Amino acid sequence: MAKKEHITPVWPKRAVVTAGMPYGNKSLHFGHVGGVFVPADVFSRFLRDRIGAENVRFVSGTDCFGSPIEEGYRKEVEAGTLDGSILDYVQRNHDRQKATLDAYDISLDLYEGSGLGNCGEIHQQVTNAFIEKLRAKGYLHLEETNQFYDAQEGMFLNGRQVQGHCPVQGCKSEKAYADECDLGHQYEPEDLINPISNVSGTVPEMRKVANWYFDLPGMADVVRDYVEGLADDPQTRPVVTKTIREFLVPPIIFVKVELHDDYLAVADKLPAHEYRDAAKGKQSFELEFKNVVDRDLARTVLTEAGIRFRTGKALVPFRISGNASWGVACPVMTDDEGNKVEGLTVWCWPESLISPISETIAANDKMGLPRSSWRDFWCSKDAGVYQFIGQDNLYFYGVAQPALWAALQKDQPIAFPAEGELQQTKLVANHHILFGDKKASSSGDVKPPTADELLEHYTAEQLRAHWLALALGQKSVGFKPKVFEADEAKRNDPRVADPALKEGALLTKVFNRLARSCLYEAAKNFDCLMPLGEVSTECVTEAKKALAAYDETMYKVELHAIMPLVETFIRYANKYWSSGIKAVEASGNAEERRQVLVDSFYLLRVATLLMHPVVPAGCEKICDYLDFDASAFFSWEYGFGGMDELCSEDERAAKSHRVKELPPRTDFFRAHESQFKKK
């Protein structure tokens, strides 16, 4: 096996961390929290400790627009469970989401919404600026395309208002919507297989509608250069580059082999293309075209001839606007003939990509900073933007967004609210978090527990530690809480361990023991004074080794490796204390007792610093009992040679620092009350 290459992290001076945007049509299930928000929060907290809290913005918000919101609102109104506007509906769900995130100690600098409050107002301005700049620079064109229309209800249908089977070759999703499926595949609306209106239950018809589109195929070289630049980036997960490359292929149409004679009858009517026989074991032959325009001309010919087909992944024009009534208003612009185009709204995906910039501006507003300071985070070469997302959204963040950003900064940068070039972001994509062995989705057949329901059985810190260790950056992993085990015998068998408590046991047992032991010993034999002095070489060596490994692991965003790394160090520290104090009790040597405590408090400090991003509440409680200022205690701006560097000059002269007295049986990390054995 090749030796793992070590790197020296070079952290940005400032950073933005995003955590996607939950739709405003529902409460949060555990996948939202465990799959995206907890990893993003852990990374944000680490960055605050590493580069300073004032240099970090952790932002997110409710996605207020899009067909899922419209559909959810319509259903509640019809059911009589809601008496209010669609804005009231979104605000109610936003408030529930915010309460859940607070319960899990998610430390967002801003959680508002793309259509709520100050952030919503800013978002309209920022979106206008982006779209107008793209149009002025020639990247947008007005295109007339087919859109689903529900004749019974007299309305155009968007997104999840239509459902059918995905037409993309190889995709088996039966939850495909107007122009994308639940696995992130994009296609033309008319290619959707067996479409049904979710509004009336009827088969919708197709009607022409004009919208603004971004020339994404024309930016193929930009996306290609972007993904090649990611190949050697240690902060980029393989799923990111793999998924992006899947779209950087020539446009292909797949036709069943039994329709070969039908194809031959119209082959000369198709644009120039390369024909390929069906590969071994495949049921379709392939038609490869030079560009997506030729492919779409071929689609028309094949459709008119009654030949069914599927399309492959490829770069297609990226829709910017739509005609939904509930959405960010699209700026009024003129087409190529000088005619005004008005009355459109912005499609939810492009404005969702822009939203984190709006959220950063709104967060800076809360801090009393000038609005132009957003550029320090998004446009400066010594800053970084880390976007935590699910793998299903990589098309938007990894294909469309890099092209949009590049288009905006070519020749003349975007001017809202000041000049500056947008930097490409770092995408931290997670695979699916499964419920048991099946994909959990609040809109799917497998109904997962809500994030709030889990807190009836586990503490937030138990779940945070467990979810972080699931290795979602590498593969889809099952979350298997014992209390939701379908097999009643297993669920009630005390001999069957709860997988969700594996990491929590380290907190409630080993880490608790280390912290209590140090404080109780200080109270018992040192009058609540932490002795100061030179730390043993062995302890400093082990601590600095752990700090370096942790720093590198965080830099690579290998978050699943954090818990095993810190567990090893905490168990070392606990063992060091136990064996040391046992020897001292046997010898009665006062100086040796003092040294054991000097070393153990130092090891406790390092362990608490390392665990702080994962389980902040308990770690901050330890800091409070050690009576240090939290901003200093959790800062990486020290040499970590001993505890003296945290103390005042007088304390260093006295060789002691006073700590708070810890009451008997105090826990820094507690199990959930439901986990205690009933007497």
Side-chain angles (χ1 to χ4, degrees):
M1 180 180 292
K3 186 176 180 180
K4 192 172 182 180
E5 181 182 355
H6 290 284
I7 59 173
T8 301
V10 179
W11 293 102
K13 291 183 179 179
R14 289 168 299 282
V16 175
V17 180
T18 75
M21 296 182 70
Y23 277 129
N25 65 331
K26 63 185 72 174
S27 300
L28 301 179
H29 68 69
F30 79 86
H32 292 122
V33 181
V36 178
F37 277 100
V38 165
D41 184 62
V42 169
F43 194 69
S44 297
R45 288 179 179 275
F46 166 74
L47 284 176
R48 292 188 187 111
D49 293 346
R50 191 69 177 82
I51 66 174
E54 71 280 5
N55 297 316
V56 179
R57 299 290 181 272
F58 178 25
V59 297
S60 181
T62 300
D63 190 346
C64 299
F65 305 109
S67 59
I69 289 89
E70 293 181 280
E71 267 300 278
Y73 173 67
R74 179 185 67 81
K75 289 178 179 178
E76 285 218 26
V77 170
E78 287 182 356
T81 56
L82 179 70
D83 181 19
S85 68
I86 191 168
L87 184 60
D88 295 330
Y89 170 74
V90 171
Q91 184 69 60
R92 181 201 69 186
N93 292 330
H94 165 80
D95 293 342
R96 291 174 178 174
Q97 292 172 359
K98 180 65 168 61
T100 299
L101 295 172
D102 288 344
Y104 279 90
D105 215 358
I106 306 299
S107 60
L108 287 150
D109 292 300
L110 183 111
Y111 190 78
E112 291 188 3
S114 53
L116 300 174
N118 182 49
C119 186
E121 295 175 7
I122 292 171
H123 188 50
Q124 179 68 70
Q125 299 173 51
V126 175
T127 304
N128 283 355
F130 268 65
I131 292 176
E132 289 170 349
K133 183 64 66 176
L134 287 169
R135 176 59 181 159
K137 297 174 76 170
Y139 286 102
L140 300 188
H141 62 278
L142 197 66
E143 184 176 325
E144 193 175 65
T145 59
N146 288 320
Q147 186 170 334
F148 290 109
Y149 185 81
D150 189 322
Q152 179 172 308
E153 296 296 324
M155 61 182 290
F156 281 101
L157 304 174
N158 294 282
R160 298 192 183 191
Q161 293 172 326
V162 183
Q163 187 167 321
H165 296 180
C166 182
V168 173
Q169 179 69 9
C171 181
K172 297 181 180 179
S173 172
E174 296 185 5
K175 289 191 177 298
Y177 308 112
D179 49 15
E180 66 171 313
C181 76
D182 63 345
L183 298 179
H185 297 142
Q186 306 292 299
Y187 44 80
E188 298 297 332
E190 54 264 45
D191 292 341
L192 180 65
I193 299 171
N194 298 330
I196 294 293
S197 168
N198 284 329
V199 179
S200 67
T202 62
V203 177
E205 58 188 60
M206 303 303 296
R207 292 195 180 182
K208 294 289 186 181
V209 63
N211 274 300
W212 294 107
Y213 283 80
F214 172 69
D215 183 17
L216 185 54
M219 301 293 285
D221 287 342
V222 169
V223 179
R224 194 169 287 109
D225 289 345
Y226 167 72
V227 73
E228 291 308 314
L230 297 178
D232 297 322
D233 184 350
Q235 294 185 302
T236 300
R237 294 171 175 172
V239 67
V240 174
T241 50
K242 177 181 180 294
T243 303
I244 295 173
R245 283 178 173 141
E246 289 174 354
F247 291 95
L248 295 173
V249 294
I252 296 176
I253 287 177
F254 299 85
V255 182
K256 294 282 190 182
V257 292
E258 58 263 31
L259 299 175
H260 188 263
D261 289 342
D262 296 328
Y263 153 71
L264 290 177
V266 298
D268 59 345
K269 297 179 182 179
L270 300 176
H273 62 279
E274 179 182 342
Y275 168 88
R276 285 193 292 271
D277 281 328
K280 185 177 181 180
K282 300 294 184 180
Q283 298 179 341
S284 300
F285 58 88
E286 301 177 4
L287 309 177
E288 180 180 313
F289 297 86
K290 291 181 180 179
N291 53 58
V292 72
V293 174
D294 286 352
R295 186 204 67 177
D296 289 347
L297 289 172
R299 288 173 52 254
T300 301
V301 173
L302 295 173
T303 299
E304 290 176 351
I307 299 173
R308 292 300 304 269
F309 59 87
R310 285 182 180 251
T311 54
K313 295 179 183 179
L315 297 184
V316 297
F318 187 63
R319 184 155 65 95
I320 296 297
S321 68
N323 54 10
S325 58
W326 176 245
V328 175
C330 188
V332 176
M333 300 184 292
T334 57
D335 62 17
D336 293 342
E337 286 72 44
N339 302 310
K340 277 188 178 181
V341 181
E342 49 191 347
L344 299 176
T345 50
V346 182
W347 185 39
C348 63
W349 263 112
E351 56 93 357
S352 292
L353 297 176
I354 298 166
S355 189
I357 296 177
S358 307
E359 293 158 5
T360 304
I361 296 170
N364 285 350
D365 270 5
K366 285 177 63 177
M367 298 176 185
L369 299 172
R371 287 198 165 177
S372 60
S373 63
W374 75 275
R375 293 175 55 249
D376 297 336
F377 291 87
W378 284 86
C379 303
S380 174
K381 294 187 185 301
D382 60 7
V385 179
Y386 301 83
Q387 298 197 279
F388 284 72
I389 60 174
Q391 67 176 108
D392 290 352
N393 293 331
L394 273 169
Y395 173 80
F396 301 104
Y397 288 93
V399 178
Q401 179 177 284
L404 288 165
W405 268 216
L408 286 166
Q409 69 184 33
K410 279 188 175 182
D411 306 323
Q412 182 185 356
I414 185 170
F416 180 89
E419 299 294 324
E421 290 190 354
L422 281 168
Q423 302 297 303
Q424 295 291 1
T425 67
K426 294 184 180 294
L427 303 180
V428 187
N430 273 345
H431 292 265
H432 300 300
I433 182 169
L434 308 176
F435 183 48
D437 58 358
K438 296 181 180 179
K439 182 182 177 183
S441 170
S442 53
S443 59
D445 296 330
V446 180
K447 300 298 181 185
T450 67
D452 293 335
E453 286 173 331
L454 285 172
L455 292 177
E456 296 172 7
H457 307 278
Y458 304 94
T459 67
E461 293 195 322
Q462 287 174 330
L463 292 169
R464 285 172 64 100
H466 179 61
W467 284 331
L468 193 71
L470 286 183
L472 294 172
Q474 297 180 327
K475 60 182 179 179
S476 294
V477 183
F479 172 51
K480 303 175 181 179
K482 184 181 176 183
V483 293
F484 289 92
E485 167 64 57
D487 187 325
E488 185 177 357
K490 289 183 179 179
R491 187 171 65 247
N492 296 323
D493 189 342
R495 297 169 298 177
V496 176
D498 188 341
L501 292 178
K502 179 178 180 294
E503 293 75 19
L506 174 72
L507 306 173
T508 57
K509 297 178 181 178
V510 187
F511 199 12
N512 258 342
R513 189 182 309 128
L514 175 65
R516 286 195 300 240
S517 296
C518 290
L519 286 161
Y520 287 149
E521 174 65 18
K524 180 180 177 182
N525 292 307
F526 292 86
D527 191 29
C528 278
L529 292 173
M530 171 195 297
L532 301 179
E534 185 175 348
V535 179
S536 299
T537 301
E538 176 195 335
C539 294
V540 173
T541 299
E542 288 296 321
K544 290 193 174 182
K545 184 170 69 175
L547 285 162
Y550 185 98
D551 195 37
E552 181 179 348
T553 301
M554 277 292 190
Y555 185 76
K556 294 178 179 178
V557 206
E558 295 176 345
L559 302 184
H560 65 282
I562 291 298
M563 284 303 297
L565 190 159
V566 182
E567 178 175 0
T568 298
F569 183 75
I570 289 176
R571 290 191 182 280
Y572 162 79
N574 195 68
K575 184 177 180 181
Y576 186 91
W577 157 262
S578 298
S579 59
I581 202 66
K582 183 178 180 180
V584 165
E585 294 291 355
S587 69
N589 187 306
E591 190 53 41
E592 288 180 3
R593 181 183 294 275
R594 176 183 174 85
Q595 187 63 48
V596 168
L597 201 54
V598 166
D599 293 343
S600 296
F601 267 119
Y602 169 77
L603 294 173
L604 174 62
R605 173 219 179 166
V606 174
T608 307
L609 171 69
L610 298 181
M611 196 60 88
H612 181 231
V614 185
V615 284
C619 291
E620 287 164 12
K621 185 175 180 180
I622 292 173
C623 174
D624 181 58
Y625 272 94
L626 295 181
D627 205 18
F628 285 114
D629 175 71
S631 63
F633 186 83
F634 292 112
S635 172
W636 282 64
E637 295 299 312
Y638 288 96
F640 296 102
M643 300 299 288
D644 303 53
E645 59 192 1
L646 291 172
C647 299
S648 68
E649 186 175 338
D650 288 345
E651 289 175 322
R652 289 195 293 270
K655 293 188 176 182
S656 63
H657 164 81
R658 182 164 295 280
V659 297
K660 296 179 181 178
E661 184 173 1
L662 187 68
R665 295 182 294 279
T666 297
D667 283 323
F668 295 97
F669 305 95
R670 282 182 58 81
H672 191 276
E673 59 183 19
S674 66
Q675 296 160 15
F676 290 107
K677 292 181 180 179
K678 307 239 182 342
K679 293 184 179 180

